[in-house]
Amino acid sequence: MARDAPVVLVRPETSPNDMHGLAAATGIVTARGGPASHAAVVARAMGKPAVVGAAGLVVDADSGSVTAGGRTVGDGTLVTIDGTSGEVVLGAPSVVTNAADEHLHRLLAWADDVSGDRSARDEARRLDAAHAALRQR
């Protein structure tokens, strides 16, 4: 599955036998575990988001389904995870951005100074241009 699209590995808990799945996954969710659990430690070491110890999560490996909050979903269901907050959301959540604050404006001004480009562009392109200019130095 990971060859075709990003995959979140969902398991009751992980063990060293899951290393291939952990390596292929873009994120990890487990029903059991905590900050020192195998899934949490390996995810941190690999730089991947993880939600471990998800209360009420039931993983049925035989059917390839997961049940939580009275809702059952199968393999291939789009989920989004936030390893910082511990949220697992069905589908892709909407992304909300706040108006740029003074610190971001200052950073972007510095980026424009470094790149020498003051044309109208989005923030990411302004930062990318600064990175490119710094790499050439």
Side-chain angles (χ1 to χ4, degrees):
M1 289 175 75
R3 287 185 185 124
D4 300 326
V7 172
V8 174
L9 176 68
V10 182
R11 304 275 297 140
E13 62 188 346
T14 63
S15 75
N17 294 333
D18 294 312
M19 283 308 296
H20 291 290
L22 292 164
T26 57
I28 299 140
V29 175
T30 64
R32 293 185 295 275
S37 68
H38 180 264
V41 171
V42 171
R44 280 193 299 272
M46 296 177 124
K48 297 181 182 201
V51 175
V52 298
L57 182 71
V58 177
V59 180
D60 184 346
D62 293 332
S63 71
S65 67
V66 177
T67 302
R71 190 165 188 178
T72 300
V73 296
D75 281 347
T77 302
L78 178 63
V79 297
T80 303
I81 66 172
D82 183 334
T84 301
S85 70
E87 286 186 276
V88 178
V89 179
L90 285 177
S94 60
V95 177
V96 179
T97 59
N98 295 329
D101 68 6
E102 66 181 86
H103 301 294
L104 179 59
H105 285 297
R106 185 178 319 138
L107 174 65
L108 292 170
W110 291 340
D112 292 342
D113 290 343
V114 168
S115 71
D117 184 351
R118 299 204 183 288
S119 63
R121 302 161 292 167
D122 66 35
E123 288 91 349
R125 290 197 176 150
R126 291 168 72 183
L127 293 172
D128 288 343
H131 285 170
L134 289 170
R135 281 192 296 269
Q136 291 176 356
R137 290 184 181 178

